[in-house]
Amino acid sequence: MKDKKTWDWQTAQKEIPVNEWQHQFNWIEEPHVSPDGEKIASITNCDDAEFTVCTNGKVWDDRYEKIWSLRFLPDGRLAALVSNDEMWTVCIDGIGWETQFDYAWDLKATPDGSSVSVAVQKDQKFGMAINDIIWNHLYENITGMVLSDQGTTGAIVQVDPLAQADINTFDTGIFSAAQNGIAQSQKFMNIWDLSFDNQGKQISYSIRKNRLEYSVVKNNTPWTQNFESVWKSEFINKGNSIIAPVRQGGKWFLYKDDALFWNKQMEQLWKLEVHDDTQKIAAVVSDSFGKWTVWENEKPWDFHCDTMISDLFYTPDGKKLVAIVKNKGHWDLVIDGIPWNLKADKLWRPVFSSDNEIFATRIEKKGKYYLVVNKNIYNKSFDKVFEPQIDPNNNKILLKSIRNGIYSRQILAIETVC
């Protein structure tokens, strides 16, 4: 993301009448807003099989038969997957990649927006492309695509062909993990949940060795122990170790480097969250049937919910642990075990101030959308609210919203919201 200090934090309000677009096109699709709030864009239909993108009222020069997966990248550029003459490519700010594909999907970007990847099919083979460069080697099939923060690509690939009903070949293992297009030598019956270390150099993943035994692999080397099932592994200790939830005897445990790590058994244990600098490890767990909570370094929260915990993450400094939960039919934000009691119909992941003391998010209630800052719901409702932002000095909120067909970019003082 571009330096927030360069954004306009002084102009109180800017407006764009997006309702006027309805008269220019046959229809417009879901709008997207840039991180700095200066641009709003939508896929628009001009005629039969003729689409383009409208940004702040101006359209891209080219027309396409199909456009999908429109989004603003973290650096503010606008990207989409586009198709003409039954060929697909990536288009950024109206300029398409030179490489064409039979199909493309799963558009991803690094946190700074400098690298963009996509899963592709070309000549009946599958792989990935990054920044307009396709893998040198393509495969029979591909799934589980990942992109590290450093721009390393990874995926699960089928390295051997498989005829219909060829059970024996499937049993011997036909899948491998590929890093930047190069498949590792080990092959397994199934692979899922690839994870990169924080340098984008090492990978770990879950495997199915045979019909009954599962395990974990780090850098092409499987753990020696077998389990009834496993969930996604994560790197810790600066990439020197990995941890993974595993199932043994009908219960779930946390293992580290092929050995028991947390001396606790759970009904379920998954969605690991690691903050390596502070050596904190958290997980979503079910310690009794039908109830969900969070354990952090083997200590449970004094909080349970009855439906699900969809997201778990640390603030950048690792001092606070945040969960998005659904309890008693409503969504809520829980920080270090303390719920905000928002009772939302829908809730998005919050953003943090530079000092990690201010949390801003957006919620939906009864068809209306609201800005929320540190538990406080702003007293105005909107037809749509996009991801808010907090200024570098931690005293202003950038509110991006639509009401009555008008897109508004507003700068609010923190105290007016809290």
Side-chain angles (χ1 to χ4, degrees):
M1 184 181 293
K2 290 184 178 179
D3 189 352
K4 288 185 181 180
K5 293 179 181 178
T6 65
W7 295 4
D8 181 4
W9 294 101
Q10 306 306 317
T11 305
Q13 187 169 2
K14 300 177 183 179
E15 293 185 341
I16 298 174
V18 293
N19 55 344
E20 296 179 359
W21 300 0
Q22 299 283 356
H23 307 296
Q24 301 175 39
F25 309 100
N26 290 339
W27 76 77
I28 61 174
E29 298 186 4
E30 184 77 8
H32 300 264
V33 172
S34 61
D36 63 4
E38 298 288 352
K39 299 176 183 177
I40 182 169
S42 292
I43 297 172
T44 63
N45 175 257
C46 308
D47 207 339
D48 290 342
E50 184 177 309
F51 293 85
T52 188
V53 171
C54 180
T55 306
N56 289 10
K58 297 181 179 180
V59 298
W60 284 357
D61 292 335
D62 292 330
R63 301 293 186 269
Y64 301 95
E65 295 169 358
K66 297 176 183 178
I67 304 177
W68 73 305
S69 197
L70 182 71
R71 70 194 61 186
F72 279 97
L73 304 177
D75 60 4
R77 294 181 297 160
L78 183 61
L81 299 176
V82 300
S83 174
N84 268 335
D85 300 323
E86 298 185 353
M87 297 297 291
W88 287 86
T89 194
V90 176
C91 188
I92 300 178
D93 285 341
I95 301 174
W97 283 1
E98 292 184 3
T99 312
Q100 301 283 309
F101 315 104
D102 297 332
Y103 193 59
W105 74 103
D106 199 46
L107 183 68
K108 298 179 184 293
T110 52
D112 64 0
S114 62
S115 293
V116 177
S117 73
V118 65
V120 300
Q121 179 188 14
K122 192 173 180 67
D123 299 328
Q124 298 184 343
K125 296 286 187 177
F126 296 85
M128 294 182 71
I130 182 167
N131 294 345
D132 206 2
I133 299 174
I134 194 171
W135 280 358
N136 289 329
H137 187 74
L138 302 180
Y139 298 90
E140 297 285 327
N141 209 334
I142 187 173
T143 188
M145 293 72 63
V146 291
L147 177 67
S148 76
D149 292 351
Q150 295 75 24
T152 314
T153 55
I156 300 153
V157 296
Q158 182 181 335
V159 293
D160 293 329
L162 184 67
Q164 292 184 3
D166 186 359
I167 298 174
N168 293 331
T169 299
F170 179 76
D171 284 347
T172 62
I174 60 172
F175 295 102
S176 180
Q179 190 169 346
N180 289 335
I182 302 173
Q184 296 186 341
S185 60
Q186 293 271 18
K187 295 184 291 185
F188 303 99
M189 181 180 289
N190 292 112
I191 302 176
W192 64 99
D193 286 341
L194 268 65
S195 295
F196 278 110
D197 69 350
N198 58 12
Q199 299 298 315
K201 296 179 179 179
Q202 303 183 83
I203 56 172
S204 67
Y205 45 92
S206 305
I207 61 168
R208 184 185 180 194
K209 291 183 175 180
N210 51 54
R211 296 182 184 276
L212 298 176
E213 295 177 323
Y214 298 77
S215 195
V216 178
V217 172
K218 176 187 176 184
N219 296 332
N220 206 33
T221 302
W223 284 357
T224 58
Q225 293 197 62
N226 298 322
F227 308 98
E228 296 167 1
S229 188
V230 297
W231 287 126
K232 185 179 180 182
S233 55
E234 297 288 351
F235 282 89
I236 62 171
N237 299 335
K238 308 301 182 183
N240 292 314
S241 297
I242 57 171
I243 55 175
V246 304
R247 191 171 189 258
Q248 286 281 55
K251 299 294 183 179
W252 286 88
F253 303 84
L254 186 63
Y255 267 56
K256 171 188 171 185
D257 297 337
D258 212 1
L260 184 65
F261 184 41
W262 284 1
N263 192 26
K264 305 285 185 180
Q265 65 178 28
M266 302 291 176
E267 296 297 322
Q268 180 60 271
L269 189 156
W270 65 340
K271 294 190 176 182
L272 300 177
E273 178 65 14
V274 174
H275 195 275
D276 222 18
D277 291 340
T278 56
Q279 297 185 330
K280 290 182 178 180
I281 299 170
V284 175
V285 305
S286 174
D287 48 16
S288 60
F289 183 78
K291 291 185 177 182
W292 296 94
T293 189
V294 172
W295 280 67
E296 182 180 25
N297 289 0
E298 293 193 84
K299 295 181 180 180
W301 276 1
D302 187 19
F303 168 86
H304 286 83
C305 66
D306 59 14
T307 306
M308 67 184 301
I309 299 177
S310 65
D311 295 86
L312 184 67
F313 45 91
Y314 283 102
T315 54
D317 62 1
K319 293 182 179 179
K320 294 179 181 178
L321 182 59
V322 184
I324 297 176
V325 310
K326 190 173 186 181
N327 189 39
K328 298 179 180 178
H330 292 98
W331 289 94
D332 199 9
L333 207 61
V334 180
I335 300 176
D336 291 335
I338 301 174
W340 279 16
N341 296 315
L342 297 173
K343 296 182 178 179
D345 297 327
K346 195 171 182 180
L347 184 148
W348 283 261
R349 185 179 178 121
V351 298
F352 314 110
S353 59
S354 59
D355 61 3
N356 301 286
E357 294 297 327
I358 303 170
F359 296 69
T361 188
R362 50 197 163 125
I363 62 171
E364 179 186 356
K365 275 190 172 188
K366 298 180 179 179
K368 291 294 183 179
Y369 295 79
Y370 301 85
L371 170 69
V372 181
V373 181
N374 283 7
K375 297 185 183 181
N376 298 284
I377 301 177
Y378 187 45
N379 58 13
K380 293 183 180 179
S381 64
F382 303 91
D383 300 323
K384 188 79 173 178
V385 173
F386 303 91
E387 183 181 70
Q389 296 290 340
I390 304 169
D391 83 307
N393 296 321
N394 305 324
N395 53 30
K396 296 178 181 179
I397 291 283
L398 169 56
L399 170 61
K400 300 171 282 186
S401 64
I402 294 177
R403 182 161 54 180
N404 299 326
I406 306 295
Y407 167 69
S408 175
R409 180 194 191 275
Q410 294 177 268
I411 302 297
L412 306 174
I414 292 286
E415 57 265 23
T416 64
V417 182
C418 295

